[in-house]
């Protein structure tokens, strides 16, 4: 039984427009039998935080192409992407890299 | 399985220093640690300018900053490059130009002022002179903005080295000092101008054409500002990713002949003002990561295609296509980039593209004034185009005039989108 964990979320590069313009969110993920992973976090975000246009943030199981994901300031590609298991106080950042110039 | 993945990633070291843990995957397989990434990022900027040797010491360079991540990152690199005491210090005199496009997306005056105030704070912190340009100003531009002005005499390659040597010897004291940033009041915009601009943009039926028109208007305003304020170079912040999308989009829009200049490192079609793209070797991902790590301020400003679906415009569709491919094939953007380099060598500039809306590689063959009833060469090009779309001015064109001859293929498509279907027109249907 995994305890509930606190996660610091940040949205940037325009992604925040889908979350009422709010960039930083401090959330608590409820405790559950298995540890939380990124895949489940995305589902949770879609259900609880995303205000509009889910297709602009998620695509299938993962984030939409063009959105950079950082876990504790490191590229999530180096952390296992969707399979990374979240720890308490982890910092997850989603930055949209689409049409920014 | 997950445990195995964790093991693999934790042990991944930076490919450069091989000591610190890797923080960002740049190209396929290349992962850098934070410090090596920072060095790599900063070095690339100076290297691309140094390699091309196009910006001379003491030269006035106007930085076009849209508020977006790439151009703000470019601004930060210029700041960094100018401030170092090192040998490789940048040596030009920068100014900043920002175009307030609030009218194009229907923002209220208050919203526009808020955005401008945010950016003004960023610009003031740099200490560079800056110009806030409402897009409405493009309506007042003379038609001559699209003319190719004579460029300063061709400098031989050796001139660059000599200029640098001279600069270092005299400690830069003979060159123009960075100007004192003048107290810029937010320019007042007449409501009639805003309405006219909105009418102009609104008369364009498709988002594709509207985006292209906006690009054209933007570029004209920037070049005009550079000319009037005495800048000889204009720096644009397009990243590699953005230019790859632009390249494919251009082909779809019939701008293949102008590819090399539209997406290359430098664009000399205006003659006296040379457009330079120092960010073209940076992917959007690298820019986003650097900005996040080193808190580079930028302002997210919605544009005409924000939150639109993939199929809303050719530009959006191409962007979606490229970014999706890039996820699975990390060499996509760099392959498109190399394609661009090849087109440079294909002598495409030999095709004389003369167009009233775009500057031609040849001197402007056709003066817009001879084709419109308004005969003064000084009349605003954009007012005429606005009239064309809104008042159907083309009816007054002499019969022998072929509108087709005034515009390049791509711009003809844009203008065709501005005319409503229900008006029969012997001139427009030939486009």
């Amino acid at each position: 039984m995994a305890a509930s964990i606190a996660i610091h979320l940040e949205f940037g590069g325009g992604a925040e427009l889908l979350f009422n313009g709010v960039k930083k969110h401090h959330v608590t993920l409820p405790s559950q039998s298995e540890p939380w992973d990124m895949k489940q976090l995305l589902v949770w975000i879609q259900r609880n935080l995303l205000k509009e246009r889910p297709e602009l943030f998620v695509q299938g199981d993962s984030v939409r192409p063009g959105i950079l994901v950082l876990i504790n300031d490191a590229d999530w590609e180096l952390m296992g992407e969707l399979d990374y298991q979240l720890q308490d106080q982890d910092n997850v950042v989603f930055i949209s890299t689409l049409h920014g110039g | 399985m997950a445990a195995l993945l964790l093991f693999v990633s934790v042990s991944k070291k930076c490919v450069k220093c091989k000591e610190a843990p890797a923080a960002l995957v740049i190209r396929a397989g290349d992962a850098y640690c934070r410090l090596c990434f920072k060095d790599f990022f900063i070095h690339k900027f100076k290297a691309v300018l140094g390699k091309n040797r196009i910006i001379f010491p003491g030269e006035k360079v106007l930085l076009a900053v849209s508020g977006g991540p790439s151009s703000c990152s470019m601004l930060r690199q210029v700041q960094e490059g100018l401030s170092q005491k090192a040998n490789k210090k940048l040596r030009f005199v920068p100014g900043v130009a920002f175009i307030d496009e609030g009218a194009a997306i229907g923002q209220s005056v208050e919203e526009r002022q808020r955005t401008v105030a945010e950016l003004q704070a960023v610009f003031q912190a740099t200490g560079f002179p800056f110009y806030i340009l409402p897009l409405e100003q493009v309506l007042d531009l003379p038609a001559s903005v699209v003319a190719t002005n004579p460029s300063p005499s061709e400098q031989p390659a050796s001139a660059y080295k000599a200029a640098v040597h001279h600069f270092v010897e005299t400690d830069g004291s003979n060159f123009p000092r960075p100007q004192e940033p003048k107290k810029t009041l937010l320019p007042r915009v007449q409501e009639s101008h805003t309405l006219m601009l909105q009418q102009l943009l609104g008369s364009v039926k498709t988002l594709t054409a509207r985006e292209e028109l906006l690009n054209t208007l933007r570029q004209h305003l920037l070049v005009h500002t550079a000319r009037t304020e005495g800048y000889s170079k204009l720096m644009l912040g397009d990243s590699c990713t953005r230019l790859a999308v632009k390249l494919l989009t251009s082909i779809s829009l019939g701008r293949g002949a102008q590819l090399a200049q539209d997406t290359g490192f430098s664009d000399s079609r205006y003659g006296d003002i040379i457009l330079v793209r120092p960010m073209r070797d940076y992917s959007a991902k690298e820019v986003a990561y650097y900005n996040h790590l080193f808190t580079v301020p930028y302002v997210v400003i919605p544009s005409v295609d924000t939150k639109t679906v993939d199929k809303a415009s050719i530009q959006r569709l191409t962007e979606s296509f490229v970014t999706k491919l890039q996820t699975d094939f990390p060499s996509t953007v760099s392959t498109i980039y190399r394609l661009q380099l090849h087109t440079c060598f294909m002598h495409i500039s030999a095709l004389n593209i003369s167009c009233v809306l775009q500057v031609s590689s040849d001197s402007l063959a056709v003066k817009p004034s001879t084709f419109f009833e308004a005969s003064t060469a000084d009349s605003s090009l954009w007012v005429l185009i606005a009239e064309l779309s809104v008042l159907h001015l083309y009816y007054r064109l002499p019969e022998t005039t072929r509108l087709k001859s005034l515009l390049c293929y791509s711009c003809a498509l844009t203008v065709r989108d501005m005319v409503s279907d229900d008006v029969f027109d012997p001139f427009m249907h030939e486009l």
Side-chain angles (χ1 to χ4, degrees):
Chain A
M1 191 72 175
S4 68
I5 47 175
I7 302 288
H8 307 288
L9 294 175
E10 221 179 290
F11 300 99
E16 67 272 28
L17 295 176
L18 303 173
F19 297 88
N20 270 349
V22 179
K23 288 190 185 168
K24 296 197 187 200
H25 301 249
H26 301 288
V27 302
T28 309
L29 302 175
S31 66
Q32 59 178 28
S33 47
E34 293 121 26
W36 280 87
D37 62 17
M38 283 300 293
K39 193 165 164 179
Q40 292 168 353
L41 176 65
L42 286 180
V43 173
W44 189 92
I45 291 175
Q46 194 173 350
R47 276 201 201 126
N48 296 285
L49 288 181
L50 201 50
K51 295 297 169 206
E52 54 178 312
R53 311 292 302 281
E55 75 279 10
L56 294 180
F57 186 71
V58 290
Q59 196 176 81
D61 280 343
S62 186
V63 290
R64 181 181 176 216
I67 296 188
L68 171 66
V69 185
L70 303 176
I71 303 173
N72 300 326
D73 286 347
D75 192 346
W76 78 330
E77 278 181 51
L78 295 166
M79 314 286 272
E81 289 198 25
L82 290 170
D83 295 320
Y84 171 79
Q85 286 181 1
L86 291 162
Q87 324 243 303
D88 191 38
Q89 303 301 325
D90 266 351
N91 197 300
V92 182
V93 182
F94 297 91
I95 306 176
S96 170
T97 63
L98 298 165
H99 61 242
Chain B
M1 180 61 187
L4 180 65
L5 276 170
L6 274 172
F7 172 75
V8 166
S9 59
V10 155
S11 63
K12 190 150 191 175
K13 296 279 182 218
C14 170
V15 300
K16 193 122 186 283
C17 65
K18 306 212 186 348
E19 281 175 10
L24 185 80
V25 177
I26 301 186
R27 290 169 288 271
D30 275 356
Y32 281 50
C33 69
R34 259 166 236 146
L35 285 177
C36 289
F37 173 72
K38 183 182 185 184
D39 288 340
F40 159 80
F41 197 91
I42 294 176
H43 170 80
K44 195 151 56 169
F45 192 79
K46 296 208 200 109
V48 78
L49 291 179
K51 185 174 76 175
N52 284 281
R53 296 188 166 192
I54 201 169
I55 299 183
F56 279 68
E59 197 170 1
K60 282 181 71 172
V61 179
L62 188 62
L63 311 177
V65 177
S66 65
S70 276
S71 51
C72 287
S73 206
M74 179 178 81
L75 180 60
R76 169 65 70 91
Q77 291 312 305
V78 169
Q79 266 183 287
E80 293 256 334
L82 286 172
S83 70
Q84 276 178 22
K85 307 290 177 202
N87 192 21
K88 297 215 183 94
K89 178 179 155 158
L90 295 177
R91 297 180 177 95
F92 55 85
V93 178
V96 180
F98 167 71
I99 299 183
D100 166 21
E101 296 179 21
I105 45 172
Q107 277 189 331
S108 68
V109 174
E110 293 77 33
E111 281 175 306
R112 290 172 73 172
Q113 280 179 345
R114 254 206 311 272
T115 308
V116 168
E118 244 189 283
L119 276 162
Q120 190 159 321
V122 174
F123 299 154
Q124 272 164 348
T126 64
F128 305 149
F130 59 91
Y131 311 90
I132 310 278
L133 312 163
L135 187 58
E136 287 86 336
Q137 280 183 7
V138 85
L139 297 171
D140 295 326
L141 295 186
S144 56
V145 70
V146 287
T148 302
N149 282 355
S151 58
S153 53
E154 278 298 311
Q155 307 258 31
S158 53
Y160 182 83
K161 269 189 121 163
V164 169
H165 185 72
H166 178 64
F167 185 90
V168 170
E169 293 267 286
T170 57
D171 201 27
S173 52
N174 291 342
F175 290 85
R177 287 275 129 223
Q179 291 158 261
E180 273 303 307
K182 45 190 179 193
K183 271 248 180 274
T184 41
L185 297 161
L186 295 178
R188 291 270 159 85
V189 182
Q190 287 173 14
E191 207 178 314
S192 57
H193 269 78
T194 305
L195 280 168
M196 189 168 216
L197 180 67
Q198 285 174 337
Q199 263 183 328
L200 174 63
L201 292 169
S203 70
V204 186
K205 287 179 296 182
T206 62
L207 184 60
T208 301
R210 200 172 305 134
E211 285 194 51
E212 281 306 291
L213 185 59
L214 265 174
N215 278 334
T216 305
L217 298 182
R218 230 179 256 146
Q219 199 167 84
H220 286 187
L221 188 53
L222 285 170
V223 168
H224 178 77
T225 306
R227 276 181 177 148
T228 49
E229 300 292 337
Y231 290 88
S232 46
K233 296 277 188 316
L234 180 64
M235 255 194 200
L236 305 170
D238 300 297
S239 67
C240 187
T241 313
R242 178 64 86 77
L243 289 172
V245 171
K246 188 168 186 187
L247 189 144
L248 293 181
T249 306
S250 294
I251 295 173
S252 309
L253 294 176
R255 284 186 68 83
Q258 293 105 313
L259 255 188
Q261 305 272 32
D262 279 348
T263 59
F265 172 74
S266 68
D267 178 353
S268 47
R269 286 174 292 181
Y270 287 97
D272 54 341
I273 308 289
I274 299 189
L275 277 56
V276 173
R277 300 183 180 96
M279 301 301 288
R280 73 184 298 267
D281 289 334
Y282 293 94
S283 69
K285 182 179 179 180
E286 287 166 35
V287 169
Y289 190 68
Y290 184 91
N291 288 357
H292 172 76
L293 228 47
F294 302 102
T295 13
V296 174
Y298 63 92
V299 179
V300 171
I301 304 173
S303 64
V304 289
D305 65 351
T306 302
K307 290 194 198 171
T308 53
V309 294
D310 279 357
K311 291 185 197 155
S313 67
I314 292 179
Q315 294 88 342
R316 279 282 288 112
L317 193 60
T318 311
E319 179 189 59
S320 172
F321 174 68
V322 171
T323 38
K324 278 184 194 161
L325 262 186
Q326 178 74 13
T327 320
D328 291 328
F329 302 99
S331 311
T332 301
V333 168
S334 56
T335 304
I336 298 171
Y337 177 96
R338 276 199 300 279
L339 171 70
Q340 194 281 334
L341 294 176
H342 288 154
T343 60
C344 282
F345 295 114
M346 281 165 67
H347 302 293
I348 284 176
S349 59
L351 293 168
N352 287 335
I353 309 289
S354 71
C355 172
V356 157
L357 291 181
Q358 307 286 337
V359 68
S360 59
S361 54
D362 210 5
S363 63
L364 194 65
V366 148
K367 283 198 174 45
S369 58
T370 61
F371 289 83
F372 294 100
E373 287 284 291
S375 59
T376 58
D378 286 338
S379 49
S380 159
L381 180 62
W382 296 111
V383 170
L384 296 174
I385 299 288
E387 284 174 341
L388 181 78
S389 64
V390 177
L391 301 175
H392 308 298
L393 182 68
Y394 57 84
Y395 273 133
R396 293 191 263 145
L397 285 172
E399 290 227 2
T400 48
T401 304
R402 296 175 67 88
L403 198 59
K404 208 173 173 178
S405 64
L406 292 179
L407 302 165
C408 69
Y409 178 70
S410 177
C411 290
L413 293 177
T414 301
V415 172
R416 185 167 69 173
D417 261 0
M418 292 161 82
V419 179
S420 53
D421 279 336
D422 56 351
V423 176
F424 172 73
D425 165 47
F427 300 114
M428 295 306 261
H429 80 251
E430 71 194 38
L431 284 180

